[in-house]
Amino acid sequence: MGYITLPRRLFLWCMALIYMVAFVSLYLQIPGLYGNDGLLPARWQLRYSGKALWEQLLSSPTLLWLAPRLGLDTQTAMELLCLLGAALSLAATVLESLRDSLVFLFLWIMYLSMYQVGQVFLYFQWDSLLLETGFLCVLIAPVTSLRGWRAGREHDPVTFWLVRWLLFRLMFASGIVKLTSRCPTWWGLTALTYHYETQCIPTPLAWFAHQLPVWWHKLSVVATFAIEIAAPFLFLSPLRRLRLGAFYMQVVLQVLIILSGNYNFFNLLTLTMCLSLLDDEHIYFWLRKKYTPNPNQGSSLWWAGFVVEIAVWALIGFGTVTWFDLQINWDKWTVSSRTVFTFHQFNQFLKTVTFPSVWLGVLSLTWELVSSMFRCACVEGFFKRFLGTVQWTVFGAAAVSMFAISLVPFTFIEYDSNASVWPGVRQGYDAVSRYQLVNSYGLFRRMTGVGGRPEVVIEGSMDKVTWTEIEFMYKPGNLSAPPSVITPHQPRLDWQMWFAALGTHTHSPWFTSLMYRLLQGKTDVIELIQSDVSQYPFHQQPPTYLRAHRYKYWFTKTLADGSYPQRWWKRVYIEEFYPTVYLGDTFLESMLSQHGLKDKSLPRRVSEAAVPQVVKWVRSQVRGVSAPLLLWSLLFCSVILCLLRGLQLEITLKTKPTAAKAEPKRRAPPHHPDAKEANSNDKDGLGQRQEEEREEVDAEEDERRGEDEESEREENDVRDELEEEEDGEEEEDGEEEGSVD
């Protein structure tokens, strides 16, 4: 694989943005979800049993154990952690020097602290994925806070490879579980005929996608299987164009999902992980910058690789056409498709490829380790070579350890392979499982809502005669309201309402708490439903009675004349989901007691210290603000600041040599009366020698800040390039470096 300096930097920048989105989105919902008057107060998860602090941290690794020692209650401590995480990640997006290993370690610890008490509202696969990817950032990011650290060039390919392996596990498992679940819609290739209207929070484009013909939906399912099952093996390929092809296949899939559904930061995180498939040459291609081509192009080895690539793409295409019996009807301009293999045949295929894929990962990681070791050996100077070797050893051992323990959750997709995992590896996985370092994945295992999208509608009344529906901001309810566009925000209550509708209310104990808090008129919970409380139908006085019914929703269809209907949805009543209750109702009290939702202890008094008051003030400033609007404002400002900073740096680096060339380079003799003035001019960079020395110093300073780039990428000239890194880059390289940054 080529140099990965630019993809690594872009990856860390995107991760800082995603952390900011995750912290801000969660912060806005903390009072309603985990506050003292929230649905599931987080203080219930922190039982202070008199154990030592270290023992509490081992049993449940969260910084919230420190809240009492700082005079904070649990809700305030959670808000403070989110604010610190959002501020630190926002700063990291703007300042590259803060995209540091220690900074990402702090971000990971803070999000893990929230995850440990998040309960059902934080137990989503993308939260686990963010924690796992965030921990890899700790290994990938340079330790720029330590002066003189060389930005970890030798270990870059080794640790960055772990992101590719995680992406492989995520996509391959997501494709496999769709078929191992034996869901008839996935096997019948009809899943997308239901998906667009039954996903949690669809976008307006989902309505239009739902109107596409059935044959197109079935062909899209076939393409999904090809992208999620076959293409991931190309992630580990040593051939560059195969990885690039797999990259663009993943990008197309993720972009289409973003356009048709609101999946918060999950698809953005997946796209960020796809950057691990790129190299500097392709980033230069995007930027339309000059890049030295590979000198091996045109050789017999290059043509052999090209032949292999054509064979691989032909094999994937032939397998897809054969296994799904793709046939073109030229008269109707349609493509028919069907699954021609059985579950038994697929299970045999899975047993055949699971362990070979592990060994493919071993070979790919070994290649990265050997390549990095060779680079360490080529460094000039014994001391620097020794430090590079120590660094390579540490990060190589970390990469091998992470790869080994990831085999346990990866092989969950196939029972026999999981049983064959070495006991020592399984023990290592069990030892770190509480820290969410590695996880198992598998999205859209089964397609729900085949007979119609189930939705729970809550109704309130003051007299038990006239009932008013309580409409949520984001989830479907009002038949005339268009679907929302809220990415990258995740309204966690709306998501859990979608899960609750799939079963009975006893399967979602938090729903009883929701009814109880609404009867009490708790503002924090009401803001989860409507951020503008005035839009809540009972904002002046809480309802006396509440009940919930289950409906089935469907997208409307285009009219016979091709025009669009006035409503987006249609629905029919199914059954009662939750009986009519009121404060003091026997059924409500029994459900609260059964699920342990009654307050067992009084919350801590809010301290009058400076920190709690600042946290309270910040909350007052964002109360009532639309979460998607706030997130997009922060994202827009971050991107603009980065662009302005890069433009300023480019202009600065371009004007310095211009000014230097405009001055005369003649020096006065040492005995000349103007020698002192000439020497002074030389100090300002007017002399040729001083100009070169200053450029070298500037290059070294930029390198320590993580802003250096390697302009020469010739694979047969590694030794010369490493010497350039040690001696400093020349003026032309500095100009190119600033323009890219």
Side-chain angles (χ1 to χ4, degrees):
M1 185 174 182
Y3 290 84
I4 47 90
T5 302
L6 298 182
R8 177 178 64 85
R9 290 179 181 174
L10 186 56
F11 170 80
L12 295 176
W13 182 78
C14 291
M15 285 301 301
L17 276 180
I18 292 172
Y19 261 126
M20 181 190 68
V21 166
F23 278 116
V24 173
S25 177
L26 181 59
Y27 166 77
L28 297 174
Q29 304 175 75
I30 284 178
L33 296 179
Y34 306 115
N36 297 325
D37 294 327
L39 300 181
L40 298 175
R43 60 188 174 87
W44 295 352
Q45 301 297 310
L46 302 174
R47 304 296 183 184
Y48 298 92
S49 56
K51 296 182 179 179
L53 177 61
W54 182 250
E55 294 179 358
Q56 291 174 332
L57 289 173
L58 286 178
S59 62
S60 179
T62 172
L63 295 178
L64 297 176
W65 290 114
L66 302 174
R69 298 172 182 263
L70 301 176
L72 305 175
D73 65 338
T74 305
Q75 176 182 343
T76 305
M78 292 185 71
E79 294 187 24
L80 179 61
L81 283 179
C82 279
L83 288 175
L84 291 176
L88 188 58
S89 54
L90 178 60
T93 61
V94 180
L95 301 175
E96 187 171 6
S97 59
L98 290 179
R99 285 167 229 157
D100 178 79
S101 180
L102 296 179
V103 171
F104 279 106
L105 177 61
F106 292 147
L107 293 174
W108 177 79
I109 291 175
M110 285 187 282
Y111 203 80
L112 178 65
S113 299
M114 311 297 291
Y115 180 87
Q116 292 295 328
V117 299
Q119 306 168 76
V120 68
F121 292 106
L122 262 171
Y123 290 169
F124 293 98
Q125 290 196 44
W126 32 88
D127 294 310
S128 300
L129 183 63
L130 178 58
L131 284 172
E132 184 170 351
T133 313
F135 185 78
L136 295 184
C137 289
V138 179
L139 302 178
I140 295 169
V143 191
T144 55
S145 57
L146 298 180
R147 189 174 181 82
W149 190 269
R150 303 289 304 174
R153 286 193 180 122
E154 286 74 22
H155 82 267
D156 279 352
V158 177
T159 52
F160 204 35
W161 178 90
L162 292 172
V163 180
R164 271 198 285 162
W165 174 247
L166 173 57
L167 180 64
F168 170 80
R169 288 165 41 215
L170 171 68
M171 301 310 300
F172 185 69
S174 297
I176 290 297
V177 298
K178 292 177 174 60
L179 295 175
T180 56
S181 66
R182 298 192 180 189
C183 177
T185 62
W186 287 115
W187 279 90
L189 308 181
T190 58
L192 291 186
T193 60
Y194 308 102
H195 165 73
Y196 295 112
E197 68 178 1
T198 61
Q199 59 184 321
C200 182
I201 305 177
T203 66
L205 284 179
W207 186 91
F208 294 94
H210 182 72
Q211 313 302 321
L212 294 173
V214 174
W215 70 266
W216 179 264
H217 289 311
K218 297 178 71 174
L219 186 61
S220 300
V221 174
V222 173
T224 301
F225 284 137
I227 294 174
E228 292 186 345
I229 297 179
F233 286 97
L234 305 182
F235 299 168
L236 308 177
S237 169
L239 299 178
R240 176 175 177 269
R241 279 189 295 267
L242 288 180
R243 294 193 304 271
L244 292 179
F247 167 80
Y248 284 107
M249 293 173 71
Q250 299 301 323
V251 168
V252 170
L253 176 63
Q254 300 304 321
V255 169
L256 290 176
I257 294 176
I258 291 174
L259 293 176
S260 62
N262 293 282
Y263 292 95
N264 50 82
F265 57 81
F266 169 66
N267 302 107
L268 300 178
L269 181 55
T270 306
L271 286 173
T272 300
M273 293 164 58
C274 289
L275 294 173
S276 62
L277 304 175
L278 303 180
D279 53 19
D280 284 6
E281 181 178 351
H282 202 68
I283 300 295
Y284 272 80
F285 170 75
W286 286 352
L287 299 175
R288 295 295 188 267
K289 297 293 182 181
K290 182 180 179 181
Y291 189 89
T292 304
N294 187 346
N296 290 328
Q297 288 185 358
S299 64
S300 59
L301 184 61
W302 183 86
W303 281 107
F306 180 76
V307 172
V308 172
E309 292 163 2
I310 295 297
V312 169
W313 291 119
L315 179 62
I316 293 177
F318 175 77
T320 303
V321 172
T322 303
W323 294 336
F324 296 100
D325 193 24
L326 299 183
Q327 297 182 5
I328 301 177
N329 187 329
W330 297 104
D331 295 333
K332 299 181 179 180
W333 287 95
T334 61
V335 179
S336 63
S337 56
R338 64 185 182 92
T339 306
V340 298
F341 54 89
T342 64
F343 178 79
H344 175 72
Q345 291 173 330
F346 178 76
N347 199 33
Q348 291 297 320
F349 162 80
L350 188 58
K351 290 181 179 180
T352 303
V353 302
T354 301
F355 242 92
S357 64
V358 171
W359 287 109
L360 181 62
V362 171
L363 291 175
S364 181
L365 177 58
T366 302
W367 172 259
E368 299 294 348
L369 288 170
V370 172
S371 301
S372 298
M373 182 177 64
F374 176 75
R375 293 187 181 185
C376 290
C378 293
V379 175
E380 291 292 336
F382 172 79
F383 184 69
K384 293 179 179 179
R385 187 184 304 124
F386 174 75
L387 290 181
T389 303
V390 172
Q391 175 184 334
W392 171 85
T393 304
V394 172
F395 286 99
V400 171
S401 300
M402 290 293 295
F403 172 75
I405 62 176
S406 70
L407 298 181
V408 177
F410 170 66
T411 53
F412 283 161
I413 59 177
E414 206 280 308
Y415 177 79
D416 293 337
S417 299
N418 184 258
S420 302
V421 174
W422 302 280
V425 172
R426 195 180 300 276
Q427 292 175 2
Y429 169 77
D430 294 336
V432 300
S433 59
R434 72 185 67 180
Y435 303 107
Q436 302 297 309
L437 299 185
V438 292
N439 302 278
S440 60
Y441 303 99
L443 301 170
F444 299 107
R445 185 183 300 269
R446 299 187 65 88
M447 190 56 57
T448 60
V450 174
R453 172 198 182 94
E455 279 292 345
V456 173
V457 176
I458 302 176
E459 299 176 342
S461 175
M462 306 299 297
D463 54 10
K464 212 175 182 178
V465 176
T466 304
W467 294 89
T468 303
E469 292 188 7
I470 297 177
E471 185 177 351
F472 285 64
M473 284 184 291
Y474 309 119
K475 83 177 191 69
N478 186 347
L479 302 181
S480 300
S484 306
V485 178
I486 59 173
T487 300
H489 174 58
Q490 182 187 4
R492 297 181 181 268
L493 177 59
D494 294 62
W495 267 86
Q496 287 300 332
M497 288 290 290
W498 181 76
F499 284 109
L502 301 177
T504 64
H505 68 83
T506 56
H507 294 159
S508 304
W510 58 266
F511 191 85
T512 296
S513 181
L514 173 62
M515 302 290 278
Y516 180 58
R517 297 303 191 190
L518 292 180
L519 287 171
Q520 291 178 319
K522 298 298 182 180
T523 304
D524 291 339
V525 176
I526 292 174
E527 288 182 342
L528 295 176
I529 299 175
Q530 289 289 340
S531 58
D532 183 1
V533 178
S534 62
Q535 300 297 318
Y536 182 69
F538 301 99
H539 64 278
Q540 295 181 344
Q541 182 180 358
T544 305
Y545 303 95
L546 281 178
R547 68 184 184 186
H549 290 151
R550 194 199 320 264
Y551 289 82
K552 283 196 174 181
Y553 278 63
W554 294 270
F555 271 143
T556 55
K557 298 184 180 297
T558 53
L559 302 179
D561 57 358
S563 60
Y564 299 129
Q566 296 181 349
R567 293 184 174 183
W568 293 82
W569 300 95
K570 60 181 179 180
R571 73 180 187 184
V572 297
Y573 175 81
I574 300 299
E575 61 186 352
E576 180 184 75
F577 182 79
Y578 205 90
T580 302
V581 293
Y582 54 89
L583 289 178
D585 180 68
T586 305
F587 176 79
L588 179 61
E589 294 293 327
S590 65
M591 294 302 297
L592 291 172
S593 300
Q594 176 182 340
H595 298 305
L597 299 173
K598 298 283 287 187
D599 283 335
K600 301 178 178 61
S601 61
L602 295 176
R604 292 175 55 90
R605 289 180 54 190
V606 179
S607 174
E608 297 297 329
V611 173
Q613 293 304 313
V614 170
V615 173
K616 183 178 179 181
W617 178 82
V618 174
R619 173 62 59 184
S620 66
Q621 300 303 305
V622 301
R623 188 175 294 276
V625 177
S626 170
L629 177 62
L630 178 60
L631 287 173
W632 277 108
S633 299
L634 290 173
L635 288 173
F636 180 77
C637 292
S638 300
V639 173
I640 292 299
L641 287 175
C642 291
L643 292 176
L644 291 177
R645 190 167 178 272
L647 182 62
Q648 180 184 11
L649 181 60
E650 180 179 359
I651 294 175
T652 302
L653 292 176
K654 283 186 175 181
T655 54
K656 280 184 178 180
T658 303
K661 292 177 182 178
E663 296 291 339
K665 298 181 180 179
R666 178 181 57 84
R667 283 209 223 172
H671 61 275
H672 194 274
D674 297 333
K676 183 176 181 180
E677 180 181 357
N679 292 336
S680 175
N681 291 338
D682 282 347
K683 291 181 181 179
D684 293 333
L686 300 180
Q688 181 65 28
R689 181 181 299 276
Q690 279 73 14
E691 178 183 351
E692 293 176 355
E693 291 176 354
R694 193 187 68 176
E695 291 299 327
E696 292 176 359
V697 172
D698 290 341
E700 290 178 357
E701 291 177 353
D702 289 342
E703 183 178 38
R704 283 195 297 269
R705 297 189 189 99
E707 298 176 353
D708 63 322
E709 292 176 2
E710 301 163 344
S711 61
E712 298 294 331
R713 305 298 189 226
E714 300 179 357
E715 295 181 359
N716 294 336
D717 204 14
V718 176
R719 182 181 297 274
D720 291 340
E721 288 180 319
L722 291 174
E723 290 177 353
E724 287 181 5
E725 294 171 2
E726 298 298 334
D727 297 335
E729 299 175 353
E730 295 182 357
E731 177 182 315
E732 181 180 352
D733 294 336
E735 293 178 5
E736 187 173 295
E737 183 175 283
S739 64
V740 174
D741 286 343

